[in-house]
Amino acid sequence: MVDRNAFGMMMVATRDADAFVTGVYSRYSKVTKMAEQIIGIRPTYKHFGAMNIVTCKKETFFMADTLINRHPSTEVLVDVARLTQDAVKFFAHEPVMAMLSYSNFGSDKQGSPRKVHEAIEILHTQHPDMMIDGEMQVNFAFDKKLRDVTYPFNKLKGKDVNTLIFPNLSSANSAYKLVLDMGVGESIGPIQMGLNKPIHFTDLASSTRDIVNLTTVAVVDAIVQEQIKTGGNG
């Protein structure tokens, strides 16, 4: 018996379908691995990730990686940051990104803070135009006065952060769901970033509205990819 997820992804891979949305009745770890094998990861990347758009009363925030990478290495964090920058621009925002942890700018030199700090060093060296810094605690990310006075060397000086990149899946997934369950905002996602085709994964607790929103993203994603491929300007 052919797996329905594999069948759907093969349809996208062979261009018999433009996009595929799955996940409500599937184990995400299984379908994401399947997508990597069938669809493949975009050139210049070795990893892919996911992002949620969280809309609050005054602001729109972007949070990554909320689904794919459980315990990302430094290399994975670099790819997620680069993918997130492109994704935020896709949604017509200029990304100002903070890579989060429980320490600030190298104050803890082991565990996840070390990985994040190393990722930042790579990004600053290889992608100096990216508006990103860290590692930092979330209060320093959102409070630019506190951040700039305490760490005047930070690259985000004077800017409001609109994009948060988390050090692992536990913190990212918990953070955006905490915001939603407290009634602070609404979310679109998780939005897949980095695969060659529009394959998107819903969450187990997704509502009808969540699925409709993610399907809309998948359709727009497919249209843009087709325009890029054909050289269209629409």
Side-chain angles (χ1 to χ4, degrees):
M1 182 176 179
V2 178
D3 184 285
R4 75 180 84 178
N5 289 305
F7 182 73
M9 292 179 198
M10 285 300 300
M11 288 186 66
V12 176
T14 57
R15 304 193 70 183
D16 290 319
D18 296 312
F20 183 61
V21 179
T22 186
V24 174
Y25 300 108
S26 305
R27 290 174 60 96
Y28 95 89
S29 57
K30 179 181 177 181
V31 293
T32 55
K33 187 65 176 177
M34 187 182 297
E36 181 178 348
Q37 293 171 342
I38 296 174
I39 302 299
I41 296 172
R42 284 166 45 187
T44 76
Y45 294 96
K46 295 181 180 180
H47 313 278
F48 70 109
M51 176 186 78
N52 276 68
I53 304 174
V54 178
T55 57
C56 303
K57 289 184 178 180
K58 294 183 179 180
E59 303 285 347
T60 296
F61 297 102
F62 303 87
M63 298 183 175
D65 178 354
T66 52
L67 183 66
I68 306 299
N69 299 288
R70 291 185 176 91
H71 304 288
S73 64
T74 296
E75 183 184 55
V76 173
L77 289 169
V78 169
D79 271 5
V80 168
R82 293 172 57 214
L83 287 166
T84 302
Q85 176 181 242
D86 289 346
V88 173
K89 288 183 177 181
F90 179 85
F91 289 101
H93 284 70
E94 192 61 34
V96 179
M97 301 184 286
M99 296 193 78
L100 301 180
S101 190
Y102 57 79
S103 63
N104 292 303
F105 299 97
S107 61
D108 193 327
K109 302 185 184 302
Q110 56 185 329
S112 64
R114 178 181 58 80
K115 294 177 184 179
V116 177
H117 192 74
E118 290 174 351
I120 285 292
E121 290 181 337
I122 293 170
L123 291 166
H124 282 181
T125 301
Q126 298 182 1
H127 306 278
D129 293 336
M130 287 182 67
M131 192 55 58
I132 188 169
D133 215 338
E135 85 286 7
M136 68 181 78
Q137 297 171 354
V138 69
N139 55 318
F140 285 87
F142 283 140
D143 189 337
K144 63 183 177 183
K145 183 177 180 180
L146 175 65
R147 181 181 69 238
D148 293 352
V149 169
T150 311
Y151 303 101
F153 56 81
N154 82 84
K155 192 173 182 177
L156 310 181
K157 196 166 185 177
K159 295 185 177 293
D160 294 313
V161 167
N162 61 9
T163 305
L164 304 174
I165 299 176
F166 291 82
N168 53 50
L169 180 56
S170 293
S171 57
N173 194 272
S174 298
Y176 93 82
K177 289 183 177 179
L178 179 64
V179 170
L180 300 183
D181 285 347
M182 292 179 67
V184 178
E186 296 185 0
S187 174
I188 300 175
I191 298 166
Q192 177 272 125
M193 309 179 297
L195 293 176
N196 283 318
K197 300 280 187 177
I199 307 293
H200 292 276
F201 313 97
T202 59
D203 188 272
L204 178 63
S206 294
S207 65
T208 300
R209 180 172 180 174
D210 293 333
I211 297 171
V212 170
N213 285 338
L214 193 58
T215 301
T216 302
V217 169
V219 170
V220 173
D221 192 1
I223 292 171
V224 170
Q225 288 203 24
E226 183 63 25
Q227 289 177 342
I228 292 172
K229 181 173 293 186
T230 59
N233 298 315

